[in-house]
Amino acid sequence: MKLSFSPLGKPVRILGSVLAFQLALAAAMSLAQEEPAAKPAAQAATNEDESGDATEKEGEEPDPFAFAADASVADLIKFIDKTKRMTPPKRDAKSVSEFARKLFPAIIAAADAILAQSDADEDQAKALTEKFAAYGILSRYHPPASQDLKELAAKYAEDARPAIAKIAVGHNLSSKASSIRSVTEQEAKDLAAEVLSYLERFGLDKATYSTTSSVARSLGYKHSEIAANLYEAMVPYFEKSDDQALRERAESTMGAARRLRLLGNTMELQGLTADGKEFDWSIYKGKVVLVDFWASWCGPCLGELPNMKKNLELYGEKGFDIVGINMDSTRAAFEKCVNDRDIPWANIVCEEEGKTGWSAPMATYYGVTAIPTAILVNQEGKVVSLAARGRELDKALAELLGPPEEPTKPTVEDGAEVATEDK
């Protein structure tokens, strides 16, 4: 799983940060065995007896996944928000699976209760957002939920209320993007056209931004030219947005198209190095150069450092070098990481107010919205890879510079992980 970090501050996600953590944790675990089917959502959530009243056996702890049968919309929303913050008591695969089969049906039942009680668009949108999210994760543990999810999307995709239809259509787009690596070129073109229709129908806001940027980024992994065209077509929607934060994304969105078109072309780099001098790209002429966009807070970036150092030791004398584009928000964070991690290569660093972090000039120029972004430039100055990490970096260097010579001394500590390119 490639980890990405939203440049719009907190990602626009329907589950919230804690539940997203639960998802990442659960997705990383392989389930040891099939679990029994979950209780129906309403039963799991309310623990109702035959009379329809919530029950609680004497001496037993209250069911954390139950809500009162007469709960108001406000109470139901509070219940959903509280339930999303719950974490599994244990983190082995079986416990996580059992927990998911209780938690997500409870959220679905509460969402259904909101839908039954209130016709207000705001309440309906909140309930459907949570219901889509819950079904999406539940389907990983209880496969029949996948069909429920498809039926839910089909039911609301053509809803006359834009706020409601937007949720269903966005879900459909995200679902298609999740299997982007297996689609044909024509299917990729069709998906890009759907994204533009989605923007035309619902306009650009933080929710549609989250969906469209995710689809475009996914397209870029296999269909870079189609993705570049999509980014360019999206720019006018950013430029005319009423949201200043989204308007400011126009330049970076065009930059993403520029980055995806780097393969086979030259790359421009400029700025100040950490010692305050103008970066001189010309001194790297004739070398194979890894251009690494990174930050000290980025776990995958730090996880790749041992592999980068290993390759610098193996190929440094054969003409390999590294240039970092630092995306920390403070100079202190950058310097501490460089010192602690003993990073020897040059870094372009910007300390100008408003141009740090995700707004770093080179990051904006190339539309970098996920790190690490590792771009490999060959001896002729042409980009040969947009994802030169792990095994892909190892392979590319062997092809460009020949078999490596063994280092005279070890440069990677025993037991250190080497990050590998995501498949």
Side-chain angles (χ1 to χ4, degrees):
M1 181 189 305
K2 185 171 182 177
L3 300 181
S4 61
F5 304 87
S6 169
L8 277 180
K10 292 184 178 179
V12 184
R13 301 194 187 281
I14 48 186
L15 294 184
S17 59
V18 175
L19 194 57
F21 167 74
Q22 291 176 208
L23 170 59
L25 168 68
M29 296 180 173
S30 58
L31 298 181
Q33 59 187 34
E34 276 295 311
E35 305 292 342
K39 294 179 183 180
Q43 181 184 349
T46 61
N47 194 29
E48 291 179 350
D49 63 15
E50 292 181 358
S51 68
D53 295 327
T55 63
E56 180 184 325
K57 292 182 180 180
E58 188 175 349
E60 290 187 356
E61 290 292 326
D63 182 357
F65 301 111
F67 56 84
D70 61 350
S72 67
V73 169
D75 289 337
L76 291 166
I77 291 174
K78 288 179 181 178
F79 170 80
I80 290 174
D81 291 340
K82 180 185 74 172
T83 304
K84 289 194 303 183
R85 292 194 295 270
M86 296 172 64
T87 56
K90 298 180 182 178
R91 297 196 174 183
D92 60 280
K94 188 171 190 258
S95 297
V96 170
S97 178
E98 290 176 346
F99 183 81
R101 288 167 182 262
K102 294 177 182 178
L103 183 144
F104 297 112
I107 292 175
I108 291 167
D112 283 335
I114 294 173
L115 292 171
Q117 279 194 47
S118 174
D119 292 329
D121 284 2
E122 183 179 357
D123 293 336
Q124 293 256 315
K126 167 70 174 176
L128 283 173
T129 294
E130 301 293 358
K131 193 171 179 179
F132 270 109
Y135 266 131
I137 305 177
L138 179 61
S139 62
R140 301 184 179 209
Y141 304 95
H142 184 55
S146 297
Q147 184 59 37
D148 295 329
L149 187 56
K150 289 179 182 179
E151 293 174 1
L152 186 67
K155 178 179 179 180
Y156 288 103
E158 298 304 325
D159 196 285
R161 298 164 295 177
I164 303 303
K166 178 171 66 175
I167 298 168
V169 177
H171 162 76
N172 286 335
L173 286 174
S174 297
S175 294
K176 292 179 181 180
S178 66
S179 59
I180 199 68
R181 293 178 188 270
S182 62
V183 305
T184 65
E185 181 176 357
Q186 185 57 52
E187 288 171 332
K189 290 180 179 179
D190 292 342
L191 179 56
E194 286 185 53
V195 169
L196 294 178
S197 295
Y198 173 68
L199 284 175
E200 189 63 29
R201 180 179 175 185
F202 302 111
L204 184 70
D205 57 22
K206 290 182 179 179
T208 55
Y209 164 81
S210 179
T211 298
T212 54
S213 61
S214 176
V215 174
R217 186 165 54 246
S218 296
L219 278 170
Y221 295 142
K222 184 179 179 182
H223 302 279
S224 57
E225 184 59 27
I226 295 172
N229 290 337
L230 175 57
Y231 275 120
E232 287 183 342
M234 288 165 58
V235 168
Y237 293 94
F238 285 88
E239 292 176 333
K240 65 184 181 183
S241 174
D242 293 332
D243 188 318
Q244 182 179 349
L246 290 173
R247 285 199 306 275
E248 292 173 354
R249 296 301 303 154
E251 185 179 355
S252 182
T253 301
M254 183 61 75
R258 183 181 295 116
R259 171 171 46 82
L260 290 171
R261 291 200 173 104
L262 280 175
L263 283 174
N265 296 307
T266 58
M267 182 178 191
E268 299 176 29
L269 286 181
Q270 59 183 5
L272 297 178
T273 57
D275 59 5
K277 298 179 180 178
E278 284 289 339
F279 175 76
D280 186 358
W281 194 209
S282 67
I283 67 174
Y284 294 88
K285 186 175 182 180
K287 289 187 174 185
V288 175
V289 184
L290 178 67
V291 180
D292 181 48
F293 292 80
W294 72 286
S296 64
W297 47 260
C298 168
C301 300
L302 303 183
E304 180 66 7
L305 284 176
N307 193 47
M308 294 164 67
K309 289 184 178 183
K310 176 200 74 176
N311 279 305
L312 191 60
E313 178 73 13
L314 291 173
Y315 293 100
E317 293 186 2
K318 296 170 74 72
F320 173 57
D321 213 334
I322 301 172
V323 174
I325 311 294
N326 182 256
M327 294 172 63
D328 277 299
S329 297
T330 67
R331 175 70 177 234
F334 161 75
E335 290 183 342
K336 184 177 187 306
C337 187
V338 167
N339 292 331
D340 290 349
R341 302 275 177 166
D342 193 22
I343 298 174
W345 48 83
N347 272 274
I348 294 176
V349 180
C350 185
E351 298 181 79
E352 187 178 341
E353 185 177 355
K355 293 187 177 181
T356 60
W358 292 107
S359 299
M362 284 291 95
T364 298
Y365 186 73
Y366 286 115
V368 174
T369 59
I371 55 175
T373 290
I375 299 173
L376 192 65
V377 179
N378 69 10
Q379 297 93 325
E380 287 73 46
K382 303 293 181 65
V383 172
V384 294
S385 174
L386 298 177
R389 298 172 55 212
R391 288 190 293 267
E392 181 161 333
L393 175 61
D394 300 345
K395 180 181 177 182
L397 291 176
E399 292 175 350
L400 292 169
L401 296 169
E405 297 179 2
E406 289 298 321
T408 57
K409 58 182 179 180
T411 58
V412 181
E413 296 180 2
D414 290 342
E417 284 191 9
V418 175
T420 58
E421 176 64 14
D422 300 315
K423 300 299 181 185

